[in-house]
Each structure stands twice: as C-alpha cells, then as structure tokens.
Amino acid sequence: MSQGLLDFGPARRIYSVAELSLEIRNLFDQRFPDIWVTGEISNCRAAGSGHLYFTLKDETAQLRAVCFRNQARYLKFKPRDGLAVVARGRVSVYESRGEYQLYVEYLEPAGLGALQLAFEQLKQKLAAEGLFDLARKQPLPVLPRAIGVVTSPTGAVIRDILRVLRRRFRNMRVVLYPVKVQGDGAAQEIVQGIECINRGGLADVLIVARGGGSLEDLWAFNEEVVARAIAASKIPVVSAVGHETDYTISDFVADLRAPTPSAAAEMVVRPKQDFIQELDHRARRLTQVVRYQLSDARHALAKLSLHAVFQTMRTRIIERAQQVDDGTAMLDRLMRASLHSTRQEWLRASAGVVRYDFRRVIRSNRTRVDECRRCVADTFRRVLLNKRHRLTHLADVLKERNPQAILQRGYSITRDAQGRLVRDAQQVELGADVSIRLARGELAAAVRGRRT
C-alpha cells in the first residue's frame, strides 16, 4: 500500500562542501564587495611571503583579516597588536578552512593619520637605538673649507642658502648635490647625495634642506633610509627641512637642526668680518703678551747680570779670551817658523835636483845596457856553438854504434825459440829452432851442428 502512495513533498538538493562554500562565497562577494570595518588589531603576524595576518576585534566579536604583500608594502605605518584601525576591503570565504575573513586593501589608524603613526613608530625605534643621543652629535667646524648642500636645484631653498652664504662669507666654496625632495625616489636620491659627499670628502659640513609643506610633502625626510644615512655621515649634518614648526626624523638624527634653510646657512659659517675682527683682536692681544714677556725678561736679565756670580763669570771669560789670544799668537809664530823651515828644506832639495843631470845619467845607463846586451849575445853564441858541436859528435857515435849499421857490414843477430839472444853455441840444443836477423830480412833455421 505504501508503494502506491505518491510523495508530493519538495525535491531535496544535496550540496557538496565545496559547492556550499562556493555559494556562500558568491553571496559574500555580492553583498560585501567593498566595506569599511573598524576594530582593534590582535594576533598580528607577518609571514615570510610579506603577507600580514591579524584579527580585528571589538567587545563582542572578532573577524579574521589578511593584507597581502602588494597592499602591505604601501602602508605608511607598521600594524601591531592593540592598535585601533579602520580597514577597507572585501569579505569572502577562505574555502580551505571554511572561514570567512576580511581581505584588506587599505588600513589606517583610527583617530590618528597613518603618516603620523609611522612617524611616531620610527621615532621611537631610532630613539631606542640611540640615534638621537647628544653624545653622538658632531660639532660643526669653526671655518669649513667647503659646505655641501643636498636639496632641489630649483626653488627658493638653494637661492636663500646661497644668498646668506654670499653675505656672510662671499668666497666660501659650496658643493650642491641636486635631488628630488618629495615624491617617489626622493628618499633614495637624498641618501645618494649624503653618501656621495661623504665618500669624496667634498665638504666639511653638510646641509640637508627643503622648504615647507604638508606632512606628505616632507615625508622623504621621515624615511628610515634617510635617517640612517644622516646618522652614518662622517661629515656633520645640519637638517633644515620645512618651517620652524615642522619637525622630521632627519631633525632628530642630524647633528644640528635649523628652523629654516636660511638659518642653516647662518649656522654653518660665521660672517667673514667676525673672523677678521677675531684675528685682529688676537693679534693685538698676542702683541701685548709678547711685549709684557719681553719686558719681564729684560728686567730679569738686568737683575741677574748684577749678581756676583755673573761678575765673576765675566772676569773669567775675559781671562779665557786673553788666554785664547795668547795661544793664537803662539800658534801663529810656530806655524810661521815651521813654514820657514819647510821652505828652506825645499829650496835645498830643489837646488840639488837642478844640479843633477838626468840626460847624462840616462846616456851612461843606456851605454851600460848596450854593453850588457852585446856580452850576453856573444856568450849565447859561444854556448850555442859548443852545444851544436857536441850534438854532431854524439850523432856520429850513435850512427857508428847503431846495430843496423853493424848488420850492414855482414853481421847477424841470432835468437832462440824464446826470443833470447844467442851469444854462445852451447845455449841451443841440436835440432832447436833459431831465428837469424840480417841487415834485410830474417831467416828461420834449425841447429844441425855446433862448434866451439
């Protein structure tokens, strides 16, 4: 019976989790595409990707929020826990966790401007690092050789600075590093100007300046990179940004703050006339001091010269001077006597030299040399002739006694089988072999008989 009953109830639609999340997401996107939300930040954290994750809460509720890197890098302040803010963005669903959250595109402090908050945050940070301490401030040089200026090359600021410097010290050398003083890239150009003048040692003092304006106009001088470049400067820096009531981070970090650019020019160098007057005053003062010292020294010398010790010293000096004169006169006499004796000896020696006939001595020696040469030649010829006669005689004797000559006369030399000379017939046996040396040739023979 139940099978026959008809079911007229509404048809069911079953959603998957992803489908339901997508439907809810579409509802949020349609209903809250651009909203403003105020609340207090809690659980704020920055991811390594640069995204910011935090929670907005009030007394009874809380809302998760995320600010992606592309939006976070344009924030003028640093979000932190406990800070009341106004956020603009859209509400959507993060499907992976099934949570709805606010995707923040803009964020500003509630009741306080973002730039002002950023200013206070950076001021507190740098103060905690000691960059504002008076102990690290450098004194300005009394008379700089050159003044560096980092500012816009156009406008009233540089004209005012140059006008004041010409009035106070006409021939002062000024080095201008032109930069943008507001807008994108202004902070980087200011940093480059400070570093360039430091690196090249182009100036003894540096003015960083611009005219007045709003907080946004002056913001380049509130950037952290500019503050750190001023703090790292080896050259004293004078900050002259805006009007007297304007304060920037550069003012706190600089070695000296000037209320206006014109005042900065007056601070870095005194009028030239002041230096001239100071030099004249010191010259007069030095002259007076020297005169007083000379007068005192003259009186002291006169007083000392009357002392008995100096009188005795004067007498002794006079005695020593007289002794020196006597010694000088004696030395002069001795020198004259020695010179006269030396001159006499020289005259005697020169007279002997004049009388000595060197040509005669040379001729006599040459004659003796010639006689010795002839004597040596005669003796050598006699010895040589005797040696030649003796050599001829010995050659004749040797020729007569030459065995070969004896053989020519018909004689012979007999040797036994062992090569020994045979002088006696009894030396060889019958039938023994012998060799007979003739004048020409040699015979081999055998002994057949012997006769004694």
Side-chain angles (χ1 to χ4, degrees):
M1 178 177 180
S2 61
Q3 294 178 352
L5 294 178
L6 298 177
D7 187 0
F8 295 101
R12 291 188 304 172
R13 179 177 177 182
I14 300 174
Y15 289 89
S16 67
V17 175
E19 290 174 340
L20 182 58
S21 296
L22 181 60
E23 290 290 339
I24 296 173
R25 177 178 178 178
N26 290 336
L27 290 175
F28 276 123
D29 290 344
Q30 294 173 9
R31 182 68 179 83
F32 305 108
D34 185 14
I35 62 171
W36 291 83
V37 181
T38 183
E40 180 182 318
I41 293 178
S42 66
N43 299 323
C44 183
R45 64 181 180 88
S49 60
H51 307 326
L52 290 176
Y53 297 94
F54 55 92
T55 300
L56 289 177
K57 67 177 183 178
D58 53 20
E59 294 82 357
T60 59
Q62 63 180 14
L63 172 65
R64 291 185 179 276
V66 59
C67 182
F68 292 122
R69 179 180 60 188
N70 290 339
Q71 287 76 33
R73 65 182 180 179
Y74 291 110
L75 297 179
K76 299 297 184 181
F77 67 100
K78 184 178 180 180
R80 64 173 185 268
D81 291 347
L83 184 64
V85 296
V86 176
R88 179 183 180 182
R90 59 185 179 88
V91 177
S92 188
V93 174
Y94 183 44
E95 298 178 19
S96 297
R97 287 203 300 260
E99 297 176 350
Y100 72 94
Q101 59 187 8
L102 178 66
Y103 292 86
V104 178
E105 297 178 358
Y106 175 77
L107 194 67
E108 67 179 25
L112 184 65
L115 292 179
Q116 187 62 38
L117 178 60
F119 177 89
E120 296 297 334
Q121 288 179 343
L122 182 57
K123 181 180 176 183
Q124 294 174 6
K125 177 183 177 181
L126 298 182
E129 294 182 17
L131 266 63
F132 301 163
D133 293 348
L134 293 178
R136 58 164 302 277
K137 305 290 184 182
Q138 303 179 78
L140 302 187
V142 176
L143 180 59
R145 291 171 297 179
I147 298 173
V149 181
V150 177
T151 189
S152 172
T154 61
V157 171
I158 186 60
R159 291 197 297 271
D160 291 344
I161 292 175
L162 294 177
R163 175 174 48 79
V164 172
L165 292 177
R166 280 196 299 268
R167 185 182 72 245
R168 295 174 73 83
F169 210 106
R170 176 168 295 276
N171 56 343
M172 177 59 65
R173 181 168 173 260
V174 179
V175 178
L176 172 64
Y177 191 97
V179 297
K180 291 196 305 183
V181 293
Q182 70 181 69
D184 294 338
Q188 286 70 28
E189 290 190 14
I190 295 169
V191 170
Q192 291 172 3
I194 296 172
E195 292 177 347
C196 177
I197 293 178
N198 270 271
R199 188 167 50 249
L202 304 178
D204 296 325
V205 65
L206 180 60
I207 299 175
V208 179
R210 71 145 288 156
S214 64
L215 182 60
E216 289 80 2
D217 294 337
L218 304 180
W219 191 252
F221 298 88
N222 291 320
E223 294 283 359
E224 184 174 356
V225 290
V226 174
R228 294 197 180 277
I230 293 175
S233 174
K234 302 299 182 183
I235 301 172
V237 178
V238 178
S239 176
V241 180
H243 299 302
E244 186 171 358
T245 57
D246 295 324
Y247 278 87
T248 63
I249 297 296
S250 298
D251 295 332
F252 297 105
V253 181
D255 298 292
L256 187 66
R257 176 189 180 265
T260 62
S262 299
E266 294 179 351
M267 290 177 176
V268 295
V269 63
R270 293 164 52 190
K272 189 174 184 178
Q273 189 61 34
D274 290 354
F275 288 102
I276 296 175
Q277 293 176 358
E278 179 69 19
L279 290 174
D280 291 340
H281 171 71
R282 295 195 178 192
R284 290 192 299 271
R285 177 61 180 163
L286 181 61
T287 302
Q288 292 175 357
V289 171
V290 172
R291 284 176 179 172
Y292 291 148
Q293 291 180 349
L294 287 176
S295 178
D296 291 343
R298 191 178 293 111
H299 290 312
L301 180 61
K303 184 177 179 180
L304 290 173
S305 63
L306 298 177
H307 197 279
V309 173
F310 290 100
Q311 295 297 329
T312 304
M313 289 296 296
R314 185 179 295 108
T315 302
R316 291 185 178 180
I317 290 173
I318 292 173
E319 292 177 355
R320 292 291 187 271
Q322 186 173 358
Q323 292 176 2
V324 170
D325 292 339
D326 293 343
T328 303
M330 182 181 295
L331 181 62
D332 183 64
R333 290 194 300 272
L334 292 175
M335 288 294 294
R336 290 178 182 276
S338 176
L339 184 61
H340 178 72
S341 176
T342 303
R343 183 181 292 110
Q344 293 301 321
E345 291 180 1
W346 181 80
L347 289 175
R348 288 193 297 272
S350 61
V353 171
V354 169
R355 291 193 301 270
Y356 195 78
D357 189 354
F358 286 101
R359 289 189 292 274
R360 182 178 59 79
V361 173
I362 292 172
R363 284 195 299 271
S364 175
N365 289 338
R366 182 178 292 114
T367 302
R368 291 173 58 191
V369 169
D370 291 340
E371 290 177 357
C372 290
R373 184 183 297 112
R374 287 193 296 272
C375 181
V376 170
D378 292 343
T379 302
F380 181 76
R381 280 195 294 272
R382 287 195 301 271
V383 171
L384 185 61
L385 183 60
N386 291 335
K387 296 294 182 182
R388 184 177 290 112
H389 290 326
R390 180 171 177 74
L391 180 61
T392 302
H393 173 70
L394 291 175
D396 293 340
V397 172
L398 182 61
K399 182 176 181 181
E400 291 176 357
R401 296 182 180 182
N402 186 357
Q404 189 67 29
I406 296 173
L407 294 177
Q408 290 290 341
R409 293 199 294 269
Y411 294 95
S412 64
I413 299 172
T414 303
R415 296 178 184 273
D416 60 12
Q418 285 74 32
R420 293 173 296 189
L421 289 176
V422 178
R423 295 185 175 86
D424 189 349
Q426 299 298 322
Q427 285 183 237
V428 293
E429 300 292 337
L430 292 175
D433 294 328
V434 294
S435 61
I436 301 171
R437 174 73 177 176
L438 304 176
R440 285 184 295 177
E442 187 174 338
L443 298 176
V447 178
R448 293 179 175 242
R450 291 182 300 187
R451 288 192 295 271
T452 59

